[in-house]
Amino acid sequence: MKLVLILGCSLGMMYALVGLGLVLEYRYSKVVNLAHGGQAIAAAYIFNVYRNGSYVLAFGGALLASTATGLLIEYIAIERMRRSSVFVKTLVTLGFLLVILGICQQKWGVQTYGQFIPDLFTSRTVGIFGVRVGVDQMVAIALTLAIAAGLTLFFKLTSLGIALRAAGDRPVLAQTTGIDSTNLGRVVWSVGGFLAGLAGIMLAPTLHLDPIVYVSLIIVAYSAMLVARMESLALTVVGGLVLGVSQQMVSYLLPRLAGAQAGVALTVALVALLYRSNALEWAEAQEAI
């Protein structure tokens, strides 16, 4: 049972790491970035292909590519289509997903599809409550918690963070007070792209280079986002943990039940929707000033 709980926490942190970037982008623009999984797998591909030449340059180049992609998505889907509906903007991000997956498949897919990725830092394990846990997994968990805590404090305590919250919640009102929502949007989506690339690299040893698995992970991570009301970074971590532990428990108790983990994700999503459906914004409404 200890192993099940630890594996569940590790899986939950994977969902949370993916969800943090998604929540950050949605919190500002009210658009779910369907290309997030594509950005993650692209960064994983770039890092894996060039890591033998220079580990640091491969890591930095992969993050730079995902950050630039986030900036490009913001420019086309958000900034240039400012007057379009949320639905249209979301479809544009879907188009970016298909383009990114197509480029990855064309350039690296045949040789590297499903390829095993070695550990990022070390293959060492440590004992926790009598269970051996990989150091890389612990780094990913600590990194996710640190990012969530750092972003939460940033939005609450810094003037830039408060301006970002204002621009996301009341963009028209923010403009009238002198807040440059355009540049702030670029910052948010650049950070979202950075987090997508970081998640892709950190998850590569676990997921291997399988675009389908990456995109599926993004879909499941939406359940954690719903628990977080699509806006709370701290609750995204909580939702990821609940989802990961629940999936592992169901798999342990009902090992022969096909689709058990997917059923858990769907149940969590439905409960979150029923409980806090009034807190979610699925369509644009005219802003009251």
Side-chain angles (χ1 to χ4, degrees), residues 13-73:
M13 286 297 101
M14 292 170 63
Y15 294 146
L17 184 59
V18 171
L20 287 175
L22 287 167
V23 168
L24 187 64
E25 293 162 345
Y26 179 87
R27 186 172 180 174
Y28 179 81
S29 62
K30 302 301 181 287
V31 173
V32 177
N33 181 17
L34 298 180
H36 203 80
Q39 293 173 269
I41 187 63
Y45 271 123
I46 294 172
F47 172 71
N48 181 65
V49 170
Y50 298 106
R51 67 183 294 176
N52 292 329
S54 173
Y55 193 94
V56 175
L57 288 179
F59 199 91
L63 292 179
L64 181 61
S66 62
T67 301
T69 305
L71 188 60
L72 180 62
I73 294 173

Side-chain angles (χ1 to χ4, degrees), residues 265-284:
L266 177 61
T267 301
V268 171
L270 289 176
V271 170
L273 283 172
L274 291 173
Y275 180 64
R276 291 304 301 263
S277 60
N278 61 331
L280 301 175
E281 297 182 52
W282 296 109
E284 289 181 326

Side-chain angles (χ1 to χ4, degrees), residues 22-24 26-28 30 155 169 224-236 276 279-281:
L22 287 167
V23 168
L24 187 64
Y26 179 87
R27 186 172 180 174
Y28 179 81
K30 302 301 181 287
F155 278 110
D169 294 337
M225 293 173 60
L226 290 173
V227 173
R229 306 190 305 275
M230 305 290 284
E231 62 179 18
S232 172
L233 297 170
L235 286 179
T236 300
R276 291 304 301 263
L280 301 175
E281 297 182 52

Side-chain angles (χ1 to χ4, degrees), residues 134-171:
V135 172
D136 276 10
Q137 289 179 296
M138 295 181 61
V139 170
I141 292 173
L143 187 61
T144 302
L145 293 175
I147 291 173
L151 287 174
T152 300
L153 293 175
F154 169 77
F155 278 110
K156 288 186 176 182
L157 302 180
T158 68
S159 57
L160 179 58
I162 294 172
L164 283 169
R165 290 171 56 192
D169 294 337
R170 294 290 185 271

